[in-house]
Amino acid sequence: MKKLKIKDVIMIALLSALYMILYMLSMVLITPLGPFGHSIGSGLCALLTGSIFFFISRKIGKFGQFTIMQAIVMLLFGIMGAGYLPWFITSMIGSLIADFIGSRNNRTSVFIIALASGVFHVGQALGAIIPSMFFMESYRSEWISRGQTPEAMDEMIKYTSGIMGVIATIIVFALSVAGVYLGYAILRKHLDKKDVVMA
């Protein structure tokens, strides 16, 4: 298994910055859907950034690529004051599993990369879903202390717990898979034929 080089890490950092810009755009686009939109926000982000995810898999294709990407994203959110330990934990676990699934080499099939993206972004979504389901009171009080209103938190918990939490997880996974296939459709003409493996 090839190891990441400095130039690979620099490319991941640059692409992570672009990913972050599109992540923030996705948050704006999904605002009209309210708390439900927030619960599936990482899925919309994945739909918009599938080409970045696919490009990384083709141009780097080394274990650790998705974990570093996620770590940079979490760091940037932390700098903005939006860091949350359970979110960090679920996101990093998701990205590590994504690496195990899709970071063997730069010729991994589109289907496998799509699955890796699904796990990567579900990891982000679980940062709100798991707290809502298993330690709701501390989750609620934590974000109220950060300036959220009790009403807003109650609405958020409504859409990230129980059956709605399961539905949100499924939607995020589906959008993440679709995002990679969209990225493949966009980039396949710009990549060498040897870089594109469909199945």
Short mmCIF file of all heavy atoms in Angstrom, two decimals, residues 23-45 48 171-172 175:
data_model
loop_
_atom_site.label_atom_id
_atom_site.label_comp_id
_atom_site.label_asym_id
_atom_site.label_seq_id
_atom_site.Cartn_x
_atom_site.Cartn_y
_atom_site.Cartn_z
N TYR A 23 -19.52 23.01 1.06
CA TYR A 23 -20.27 22.60 2.25
C TYR A 23 -21.08 23.77 2.78
O TYR A 23 -22.28 23.65 3.08
CB TYR A 23 -19.30 22.09 3.32
CG TYR A 23 -19.93 21.26 4.41
CD1 TYR A 23 -19.44 19.99 4.71
CD2 TYR A 23 -21.00 21.72 5.17
CE1 TYR A 23 -20.00 19.22 5.72
CE2 TYR A 23 -21.57 20.95 6.17
CZ TYR A 23 -21.06 19.71 6.44
OH TYR A 23 -21.62 18.95 7.44
N MET A 24 -20.43 24.94 2.88
CA MET A 24 -21.12 26.13 3.38
C MET A 24 -22.24 26.55 2.42
O MET A 24 -23.31 26.97 2.85
CB MET A 24 -20.13 27.28 3.57
CG MET A 24 -19.00 26.97 4.53
SD MET A 24 -19.54 26.33 6.14
CE MET A 24 -20.37 27.75 6.81
N LEU A 25 -22.00 26.40 1.11
CA LEU A 25 -23.03 26.70 0.12
C LEU A 25 -24.22 25.76 0.30
O LEU A 25 -25.38 26.19 0.22
CB LEU A 25 -22.46 26.56 -1.29
CG LEU A 25 -23.47 26.71 -2.44
CD1 LEU A 25 -24.10 28.09 -2.44
CD2 LEU A 25 -22.80 26.42 -3.79
N SER A 26 -23.95 24.50 0.56
CA SER A 26 -25.04 23.53 0.75
C SER A 26 -25.88 23.88 1.96
O SER A 26 -27.10 23.69 1.96
CB SER A 26 -24.47 22.11 0.88
OG SER A 26 -23.80 21.92 2.11
N MET A 27 -25.24 24.42 3.00
CA MET A 27 -25.99 24.83 4.19
C MET A 27 -26.94 25.98 3.88
O MET A 27 -28.05 26.05 4.41
CB MET A 27 -25.02 25.23 5.30
CG MET A 27 -24.19 24.10 5.88
SD MET A 27 -25.17 22.83 6.74
CE MET A 27 -25.25 21.56 5.48
N VAL A 28 -26.48 26.88 3.02
CA VAL A 28 -27.32 28.00 2.61
C VAL A 28 -28.50 27.49 1.77
O VAL A 28 -29.66 27.88 1.98
CB VAL A 28 -26.51 29.03 1.81
CG1 VAL A 28 -27.43 30.11 1.24
CG2 VAL A 28 -25.44 29.67 2.70
N LEU A 29 -28.20 26.61 0.82
CA LEU A 29 -29.24 26.10 -0.08
C LEU A 29 -30.32 25.32 0.65
O LEU A 29 -31.48 25.32 0.25
CB LEU A 29 -28.60 25.20 -1.15
CG LEU A 29 -27.68 25.90 -2.16
CD1 LEU A 29 -27.04 24.87 -3.08
CD2 LEU A 29 -28.46 26.94 -2.98
N ILE A 30 -29.94 24.66 1.73
CA ILE A 30 -30.88 23.78 2.41
C ILE A 30 -31.63 24.48 3.55
O ILE A 30 -32.53 23.91 4.16
CB ILE A 30 -30.15 22.52 2.92
CG1 ILE A 30 -31.08 21.30 2.89
CG2 ILE A 30 -29.57 22.72 4.32
CD1 ILE A 30 -30.39 20.02 2.64
N THR A 31 -31.29 25.74 3.80
CA THR A 31 -31.92 26.52 4.88
C THR A 31 -33.44 26.54 4.79
O THR A 31 -34.12 26.42 5.82
CB THR A 31 -31.37 27.96 4.89
OG1 THR A 31 -29.97 27.91 5.18
CG2 THR A 31 -32.06 28.81 5.95
N PRO A 32 -34.04 26.68 3.58
CA PRO A 32 -35.52 26.70 3.52
C PRO A 32 -36.19 25.46 4.09
O PRO A 32 -37.36 25.51 4.47
CB PRO A 32 -35.80 26.85 2.02
CG PRO A 32 -34.60 27.54 1.47
CD PRO A 32 -33.44 26.97 2.26
N LEU A 33 -35.47 24.34 4.17
CA LEU A 33 -36.05 23.11 4.71
C LEU A 33 -35.97 23.04 6.24
O LEU A 33 -36.41 22.06 6.82
CB LEU A 33 -35.37 21.88 4.10
CG LEU A 33 -35.58 21.68 2.60
CD1 LEU A 33 -34.84 20.43 2.13
CD2 LEU A 33 -37.07 21.57 2.26
N GLY A 34 -35.37 24.07 6.83
CA GLY A 34 -35.34 24.15 8.29
C GLY A 34 -34.53 23.04 8.93
O GLY A 34 -33.54 22.56 8.37
N PRO A 35 -34.95 22.59 10.12
CA PRO A 35 -34.20 21.56 10.85
C PRO A 35 -34.05 20.25 10.08
O PRO A 35 -33.03 19.58 10.18
CB PRO A 35 -35.05 21.34 12.12
CG PRO A 35 -35.77 22.64 12.31
CD PRO A 35 -36.07 23.12 10.91
N PHE A 36 -35.07 19.88 9.30
CA PHE A 36 -34.95 18.67 8.50
C PHE A 36 -33.82 18.83 7.48
O PHE A 36 -33.04 17.91 7.25
CB PHE A 36 -36.25 18.35 7.78
CG PHE A 36 -36.14 17.17 6.84
CD1 PHE A 36 -35.95 15.89 7.34
CD2 PHE A 36 -36.19 17.35 5.47
CE1 PHE A 36 -35.81 14.80 6.47
CE2 PHE A 36 -36.06 16.28 4.60
CZ PHE A 36 -35.87 15.00 5.10
N GLY A 37 -33.75 20.01 6.87
CA GLY A 37 -32.68 20.29 5.92
C GLY A 37 -31.31 20.17 6.59
O GLY A 37 -30.38 19.62 6.01
N HIS A 38 -31.22 20.66 7.81
CA HIS A 38 -29.95 20.58 8.53
C HIS A 38 -29.58 19.12 8.78
O HIS A 38 -28.41 18.74 8.71
CB HIS A 38 -30.04 21.34 9.85
CG HIS A 38 -28.74 21.43 10.58
ND1 HIS A 38 -27.72 22.28 10.20
CD2 HIS A 38 -28.27 20.74 11.65
CE1 HIS A 38 -26.69 22.12 11.01
NE2 HIS A 38 -27.01 21.20 11.91
N SER A 39 -30.58 18.29 9.07
CA SER A 39 -30.30 16.88 9.38
C SER A 39 -29.75 16.12 8.18
O SER A 39 -29.05 15.12 8.34
CB SER A 39 -31.57 16.19 9.90
OG SER A 39 -32.52 15.99 8.85
N ILE A 40 -30.06 16.58 6.96
CA ILE A 40 -29.55 15.91 5.76
C ILE A 40 -28.53 16.79 5.02
O ILE A 40 -28.18 16.51 3.89
CB ILE A 40 -30.70 15.53 4.79
CG1 ILE A 40 -31.44 16.78 4.30
CG2 ILE A 40 -31.66 14.56 5.46
CD1 ILE A 40 -32.41 16.51 3.15
N GLY A 41 -28.06 17.82 5.70
CA GLY A 41 -27.15 18.78 5.07
C GLY A 41 -25.88 18.15 4.54
O GLY A 41 -25.39 18.53 3.47
N SER A 42 -25.31 17.18 5.26
CA SER A 42 -24.09 16.55 4.78
C SER A 42 -24.35 15.76 3.50
O SER A 42 -23.46 15.57 2.68
CB SER A 42 -23.47 15.65 5.86
OG SER A 42 -24.39 14.66 6.27
N GLY A 43 -25.60 15.30 3.32
CA GLY A 43 -25.96 14.61 2.09
C GLY A 43 -25.97 15.55 0.89
O GLY A 43 -25.48 15.20 -0.19
N LEU A 44 -26.54 16.74 1.07
CA LEU A 44 -26.52 17.72 -0.02
C LEU A 44 -25.09 18.13 -0.32
O LEU A 44 -24.71 18.27 -1.49
CB LEU A 44 -27.36 18.95 0.34
CG LEU A 44 -27.38 20.05 -0.73
CD1 LEU A 44 -27.94 19.53 -2.05
CD2 LEU A 44 -28.18 21.26 -0.26
N CYS A 45 -24.30 18.31 0.73
CA CYS A 45 -22.88 18.62 0.53
C CYS A 45 -22.23 17.54 -0.30
O CYS A 45 -21.48 17.82 -1.24
CB CYS A 45 -22.18 18.73 1.90
SG CYS A 45 -20.38 18.78 1.79
N LEU A 48 -23.05 17.80 -3.95
CA LEU A 48 -22.35 18.90 -4.60
C LEU A 48 -20.85 18.64 -4.75
O LEU A 48 -20.21 19.19 -5.65
CB LEU A 48 -22.55 20.20 -3.83
CG LEU A 48 -23.98 20.76 -3.74
CD1 LEU A 48 -23.99 22.03 -2.91
CD2 LEU A 48 -24.55 21.02 -5.12
N ILE A 171 -31.17 9.04 3.61
CA ILE A 171 -31.13 10.11 2.60
C ILE A 171 -29.70 10.59 2.39
O ILE A 171 -29.25 10.79 1.26
CB ILE A 171 -32.05 11.28 2.99
CG1 ILE A 171 -33.52 10.84 2.91
CG2 ILE A 171 -31.80 12.49 2.10
CD1 ILE A 171 -34.50 11.87 3.44
N VAL A 172 -28.97 10.78 3.49
CA VAL A 172 -27.58 11.23 3.39
C VAL A 172 -26.75 10.22 2.61
O VAL A 172 -25.97 10.59 1.72
CB VAL A 172 -26.97 11.46 4.79
CG1 VAL A 172 -25.45 11.63 4.71
CG2 VAL A 172 -27.59 12.69 5.45
N LEU A 175 -27.73 10.36 -1.18
CA LEU A 175 -27.22 11.56 -1.84
C LEU A 175 -25.70 11.48 -2.02
O LEU A 175 -25.17 11.96 -3.03
CB LEU A 175 -27.58 12.80 -1.01
CG LEU A 175 -29.06 13.22 -1.03
CD1 LEU A 175 -29.30 14.36 -0.04
CD2 LEU A 175 -29.50 13.63 -2.43
#
